Amino acid sequence: MTSTERTDVLVVGSGFGGAIAAYHLAAGGARVVVLERGPWLEGKDFEHDFKLGSSYTRIFDFVIGDGMSVLGGNCVGGGSVVYFAAMPRAPRFVFERRGSIRRRMWPATISRDLLEPWYDRVAEAMPVTKQDWNDVTYAGGLWAAACAHAGHTANPVPVAVDNDRCTNCNWMMAGCRFDAKRSLLFNYLPAALAHGAEIRPMHEVQHLSLTDEGGYRVHYNVIDDEDYRVHVGSGEIDAKIVVLAAGAGATPVILQRSEQALGRMPHAVGRYFSGNGERLNTAVIDEDRAREVLGLTREGGMAYAANQIGRGPVVANWDRLDGTLPEYSRFSLEQLYFPPGLGTILAQAPDATGPTWFGVDKKEMLRRWQSWLTIFTMSEDDNEGVFGLPPATGNAVRISQQMLGRGNLRYHPTANTLRGWAESDAAVRDIIERDGLAKVMPWTNDLVGAYTVHPLASCRIGDDPATSALDDRHELRGHPGIFVTDGSAVPGGLTVNPAMTIAALAERAMPGIVATARQRGIPVTYGAPGPGGETGGRRAAAPLVADLVRE
């Protein structure tokens, strides 16, 4: 059965971009409906296993493309529920990047300094805290000690985690059942609900069309709770403003499918996709050398053997985040825990005499899995991803009843991207293999392609209409009243975890979205404090609001 409803604002997705928009618009007096394609789970629902149908498979979306696979959140709260809560701010040089278009990718109105007050707002709302060395896990401590031994620095990563609640169980990717991770379930989303916003899980938006009044009709399917391939209903909602925040792997697909009804989309919709230059290396630590070279010990007489204990990431090496270095030579190296469910498949065995990702040598590597240390690279890629024709429904063709799909993304790394990966691989080897500490191998990019947990830039902001889908206020070019506030709006790779920047950009976009909403007859105001009532960040951002409001 199909029914048509009306609301002031329709938000697609409930991750950072969607939750922040829903809160500010609802707090300002607008009627807000949020459609989320995944389930609505809370602490007691998050399970510590990898069985099909558990929380792990229900709240993830893993889409296999041509040369690139994308792992993202699929639940109320989006990526904030499944991420590792690392919240660094992007380096200054990122905002001056030229990339494949050979001129500044970011709008002239955005720099690190101009984004700083919006970063502060997010830091208050989550909140984000700086860890000290007493908070660092065994794996983080090992990585820090190895960096120091090789003459490099190491830094505790700022996180949105309540360390008093954290049990170091290392199940963060399956959702935090101890409510230690400060996901959007504890700040922006409950605040949006308190102001009257409505959140509807298991609602997957398919496309947009125009209404006779100049607004937009949002067409959706209702997804079965257990088998995401099954549609149990459909509907339509009319809205004066639409905020797309379905993620960089889904937002461009929705817009591609909407082109027939809305008219021509900007050229950059579904182009310039970035995987944040991500790459993984797994080291197998020699326990004796860790004790002798680094002087490490822990209970039971072991030096390390603690891959599974703690949380990740907690420590990063940022020595190569140096704006004086050439583009594509800048990257961060972050200790990361990746659950064995994926790591056992994709990690390659160092010094194998036969195949590197299966066989006898791989079996021996798996036997020593507690001595693994995974190093995560975030570098500068060339924005070479392109989305092909959209599937009939959703963002991918579902292969299994949950989690797994085949998408239309094509990603073939350029020489620039490959050079960045090669330099980062060499840096990892120099640190972790020094004095026989470990043996290291990258994951199986050559066999399965690249992969990212931080998809970006598929509908990016910019000043050049030829290479950006959105203007500097996040409004879709040629389609007034449609805004994009998720990771797809970020112009390119950030060389660090992007959640903090995605959230800061969404905060910055809100005054302009409110101004457009007022022009479209919505009685909404801007100026709500942070979800927890904080005011410091609001005061710092206040002088910038006038430049973002063009009524």
Side-chain angles (χ1 to χ4, degrees), residues 38 44 48 124 198 244 279 452 459 500 531 550:
K44 63 182 177 59
H48 288 182
E124 285 186 345
E198 182 181 353
L244 289 172
R279 187 166 173 83
T452 182
C459 291
M500 189 69 167
R550 301 170 190 163

Side-chain angles (χ1 to χ4, degrees), residues 225-518:
D225 284 339
E226 293 186 1
D227 190 339
Y228 295 172
R229 298 168 297 185
V230 176
H231 301 157
V232 296
S234 63
E236 302 166 348
I237 302 179
D238 289 353
K240 297 175 181 177
I241 293 284
V242 174
V243 179
L244 289 172
T251 289
V253 180
I254 293 171
L255 290 176
Q256 286 177 323
R257 198 181 289 118
S258 302
E259 190 166 38
Q260 183 174 358
L262 296 184
R264 187 178 181 85
M265 286 291 141
H267 175 76
V269 168
R271 291 181 172 85
Y272 303 110
F273 173 92
S274 168
N276 203 32
E278 293 176 0
R279 187 166 173 83
L280 286 161
N281 279 265
T282 296
V284 182
I285 304 298
D286 184 312
E287 295 286 335
D288 291 334
R289 297 302 289 162
R291 184 181 297 105
E292 296 164 7
V293 174
L294 303 179
L296 298 181
T297 58
R298 70 178 186 90
E299 64 271 17
M302 292 176 285
Y304 173 50
N307 178 49
Q308 79 282 15
I309 302 172
R311 60 193 182 280
V314 292
V315 173
N317 168 261
W318 291 327
D319 290 352
R320 292 293 290 266
L321 298 185
D322 180 351
T324 66
L325 292 173
E327 196 170 4
Y328 307 105
S329 295
R330 302 172 295 204
F331 50 81
S332 61
L333 302 174
E334 200 169 72
Q335 157 269 331
L336 176 71
Y337 174 75
F338 221 92
L342 289 173
T344 54
I345 298 171
L346 297 174
Q348 298 187 82
D351 295 335
T353 57
T356 58
W357 64 285
F358 66 92
V360 174
D361 295 298
K362 179 64 175 286
K363 185 175 181 180
E364 171 61 19
M365 181 185 182
L366 294 178
R367 187 184 67 79
R368 299 176 59 193
W369 71 273
Q370 289 179 304
S371 295
W372 288 12
L373 181 72
T374 302
I375 305 302
F376 184 42
T377 292
M378 288 167 281
S379 60
E380 296 169 310
D381 66 2
D382 236 351
N383 290 77
E384 51 263 71
V386 178
F387 284 79
L389 293 174
T393 63
N395 67 311
V397 176
R398 292 284 179 187
I399 297 174
S400 62
Q401 69 179 46
Q402 294 172 8
M403 189 173 176
L404 189 60
R406 166 66 73 174
N408 61 339
L409 173 63
R410 301 189 305 275
Y411 187 93
H412 301 290
T414 66
N416 287 329
T417 300
L418 292 171
R419 185 174 74 249
W421 287 345
E423 289 189 23
S424 67
D425 285 350
V428 172
R429 288 194 302 271
D430 178 65
I431 293 171
I432 209 70
E433 292 189 343
R434 188 171 293 224
D435 294 324
L437 179 62
K439 289 291 185 180
V440 64
M441 279 283 284
W443 279 20
T444 56
N445 287 64
D446 294 339
L447 292 169
V448 299
Y451 22 78
T452 182
V453 295
H454 299 137
L456 303 168
S458 52
C459 291
R460 64 188 185 178
I461 55 176
D463 290 331
D464 179 12
T467 58
S468 60
L470 315 172
D471 64 21
D472 67 330
R473 294 197 314 160
H474 293 245
E475 193 166 25
L476 184 66
R477 298 185 186 279
H479 301 276
I482 298 178
F483 293 85
V484 176
T485 56
D486 57 20
S488 63
V490 178
L494 298 175
T495 67
V496 295
N497 315 74
M500 189 69 167
T501 300
I502 294 169
L505 288 171
E507 280 279 6
R508 178 188 173 276
M510 292 317 303
I513 296 176
V514 167
T516 300
R518 290 173 62 84

Side-chain angles (χ1 to χ4, degrees), residues 96-115:
E96 304 301 325
R97 283 199 61 204
R98 297 169 65 85
S100 60
I101 62 174
R102 296 182 176 84
R103 57 185 176 278
R104 195 178 192 269
M105 294 191 295
W106 285 76
T109 53
I110 300 178
S111 67
R112 168 59 188 270
D113 290 336
L114 291 172
L115 200 58

